[in-house]
Amino acid sequence: MHKNSQISQQIINSIRSVIGAQDSSLHEPVFNGNEWDYLKECLDSTYVSSVGKFVDKFEQSLVKLTGAKYAIALVNGTAAIHLSLILADVKDGDEVLTPTFTFVATANAISYLKATPHFIDNDEDTLGVDPKKLYEYLNKFTKQKDGKCINIKTNKIIKAIVPTHIFGHPCKIDEIVDIAKNFNIIVIEDAAESIGSYYKNQHTGTFGLMGTLSFNGNKTITAGGGGAILTNNQEIAKRAKHLSTTAKLTHKWDYLHDEIGFNYRLPNINAALGCAQLEQLPKLLKSKRTLFKKYEDKISLLNGVSLFKEPKRCKSNYWLQTLLLDIENINERDEILSLTNESGLMTRPAWILMHRLNQFSSNPRMDLSCAESITDRLINIPSSSNLIGKN
Ligand SMILES: *Cc1c(COP(=O)(O)O)cnc(C)c1O
């Protein structure tokens, strides 16, 4: 047999031996708890929009889970990043550092403010921002002026950094926070994919000045759509709530808005679903970890490919299970993608890197060779928490 089809077939056999003969999507939500009850309660109450007890309960549950002092529930994860950047005072003309290997929402939110996404490299231990490379780059290509970090090449202020915890795996966030502090750069963690993931026993999204979550339908838990900002800063929490509710001042009847605000609050009906899902999180995380172990037992027997494992001193939620091909198998990727999908197993390559998208192709960047190498070797495989239960 040709060497190529061999590895494709081996991968298919490995996945099949874990999940059985069923067709499988990449990630689907599981509603096995109080979802129907809470949704009915919400409808019966008639409070389906941005005010209601489920929104408060959802925020309190997020605080309890993450250990952040405050959680502000919003319509989606992109809005959470957008609002966080505003609260970090990111303005027209500023630059914001963000990995080139991330979902496009991160770079989009930066662009909404007419700020410029400035791309930094990822590392292979975590798939997230490489702190060593970040430090060397900032050291060489920035200067400090009036307490601000200036890009020497563009003369613009580097106001913030938005590191992503990719596929739920925590990046080296404490090192990144230290470096950012040294260079006067604000940290907003994009923890959209990492609810239930911990770095050195601390929940992701609680290391930076702000952290953002997403509750889209494809994430580990869902509210249909939804997002949140996490912060320990009372002032920022207050402003986040105010700005996301059209900057309306509390009054019995008057509609007085003291600045230009957003309609970004999470509707109560979404929060109802979110509350039920949060209750299920421990169970879902356990299943996802079991799925990882079963895949690992099989994939570790294969040559030329490995299953990505949570980084050291981290507990990952294993949102998306990830294969990394060895360099010599880089040309097999497309065949693996087509054969797995043809056989009813949904698999997906990495996102196209941000600096390769037309709209970001002329943005400032460092050397991005690690992300470029990872992206061509990476394949996500079926990852739903109900896969092993069904088998
Ligand atoms: C899902 C996701 C977002 C955006 O969340 P939405 O709720 O879909 O707007 C942002 N960043 C990353 C890395 C994501 O995976």
Side-chain angles (χ1 to χ4, degrees):
M1 197 191 253
H2 188 242
K3 168 175 157 274
N4 303 8
S5 9
Q6 212 172 329
I7 190 163
S8 305
Q9 203 48 54
Q10 286 171 343
I11 288 172
I12 290 175
N13 293 344
S14 301
I15 298 175
R16 285 281 171 221
S17 69
V18 173
I19 72 165
Q22 63 186 315
D23 278 358
S24 173
S25 60
L26 195 64
H27 199 280
E28 61 188 39
V30 177
F31 302 123
N32 279 338
N34 286 317
E35 287 84 358
W36 285 100
D37 290 345
Y38 290 178
L39 283 170
K40 179 164 191 326
E41 193 181 331
C42 181
L43 291 175
D44 288 343
S45 79
T46 76
Y47 283 89
V48 292
S49 284
S50 45
V51 179
K53 74 165 204 186
F54 285 112
V55 179
D56 298 330
K57 187 179 164 192
F58 188 56
E59 291 179 338
Q60 284 156 16
S61 306
L62 286 177
V63 162
K64 200 166 157 218
L65 170 74
T66 62
K69 275 199 183 137
Y70 308 96
I72 300 90
L74 302 172
V75 282
N76 58 53
T78 311
I81 303 171
H82 183 203
L83 195 53
S84 297
L85 291 163
I86 291 172
L87 294 167
D89 198 34
V90 170
K91 292 205 174 86
D92 190 345
D94 288 341
E95 291 181 6
V96 176
L97 302 169
T98 188
T100 188
F101 179 53
T102 183
F103 179 57
V104 72
T106 327
N108 279 348
I110 297 165
S111 307
Y112 297 162
L113 292 165
K114 297 193 162 50
T116 304
H118 181 153
F119 298 117
I120 50 182
D121 205 8
N122 299 64
D123 71 28
E124 202 167 326
D125 324 336
T126 69
L127 303 178
V129 167
D130 182 340
K132 194 164 166 273
K133 221 164 155 177
L134 175 69
Y135 177 77
E136 284 163 10
Y137 181 70
L138 290 174
N139 224 6
K140 202 161 168 195
F141 294 107
T142 68
K143 64 177 181 196
Q144 292 291 310
K145 195 179 155 201
D146 306 327
K148 295 192 165 72
C149 182
I150 311 286
N151 178 345
I152 294 173
K153 286 189 192 162
T154 60
N155 229 9
K156 296 195 166 161
I157 299 169
I158 299 179
K159 187 69 72 62
I161 180 169
V162 189
T164 308
H165 302 290
I166 307 278
F167 304 145
H169 300 297
C171 62
K172 294 167 185 161
I173 190 64
D174 56 350
E175 290 177 53
I176 294 166
V177 166
D178 278 349
I179 294 165
K181 198 186 267 176
N182 274 327
F183 286 89
N184 289 312
I185 295 171
I186 294 169
V187 179
I188 298 166
E189 284 169 82
D190 184 352
E193 302 176 357
S194 66
I195 191 157
S197 297
Y198 296 81
Y199 183 84
K200 297 182 182 169
N201 294 318
Q202 185 178 333
H203 198 282
T204 51
T206 63
F207 291 80
L209 182 60
M210 287 163 267
T212 62
L213 299 173
S214 166
F215 301 97
N216 191 19
N218 65 349
K219 297 286 168 27
T220 299
I221 58 166
T222 184
I229 294 178
L230 304 174
T231 185
N232 290 329
N233 183 304
Q234 188 182 23
E235 196 52 38
I236 284 178
K238 262 197 203 160
R239 293 241 330 123
K241 196 163 173 179
H242 185 60
L243 277 177
S244 61
T245 35
T246 64
K248 186 179 177 300
L249 299 176
T250 312
H251 191 279
K252 270 192 185 146
W253 48 74
D254 277 339
Y255 273 69
L256 186 59
H257 309 265
D258 63 354
E259 57 187 309
I260 296 173
F262 299 86
N263 182 11
Y264 271 3
R265 279 294 270 176
L266 183 71
N268 202 40
I269 193 158
N270 294 99
L273 185 55
C275 284
Q277 285 270 283
L278 265 176
E279 292 171 359
Q280 297 297 305
L281 183 64
K283 238 199 259 172
L284 298 178
L285 292 175
K286 221 173 135 200
S287 306
K288 291 173 81 62
R289 180 162 292 271
T290 306
L291 181 63
F292 165 77
K293 286 192 183 131
K294 292 194 172 197
Y295 275 150
E296 193 190 31
D297 285 347
K298 302 294 174 186
I299 301 289
S300 62
L301 303 175
L302 307 186
N303 289 321
V305 58
S306 56
L307 185 69
F308 194 85
K309 192 183 164 85
E310 65 194 348
K312 273 186 222 136
R313 285 161 296 156
C314 292
K315 186 148 194 200
S316 173
N317 66 7
Y318 283 106
W319 173 49
L320 289 186
Q321 308 288 349
T322 303
L323 297 179
L324 269 184
L325 298 170
D326 292 356
I327 302 264
E328 59 272 20
N329 283 324
I330 204 156
N331 295 325
E332 318 304 327
R333 188 197 69 166
D334 288 357
E335 187 185 81
I336 295 167
L337 285 168
S338 47
L339 291 184
T340 46
N341 279 288
E342 273 166 30
S343 73
L345 298 170
M346 186 171 167
T347 59
R348 198 177 67 182
W351 306 287
I352 307 273
L353 296 175
M354 292 304 110
H355 71 283
R356 289 175 173 166
L357 295 177
N358 190 38
Q359 61 274 36
F360 300 124
S361 58
S362 54
N363 284 37
R365 72 183 69 153
M366 64 162 71
D367 165 79
L368 300 171
S369 48
C370 184
E372 283 167 353
S373 157
I374 291 171
T375 194
D376 296 334
R377 296 187 286 123
L378 190 151
I379 298 173
N380 289 125
I381 59 176
S383 304
S384 306
S385 54
N386 57 357
L387 279 174
I388 33 174
K390 281 194 207 158
N391 186 21

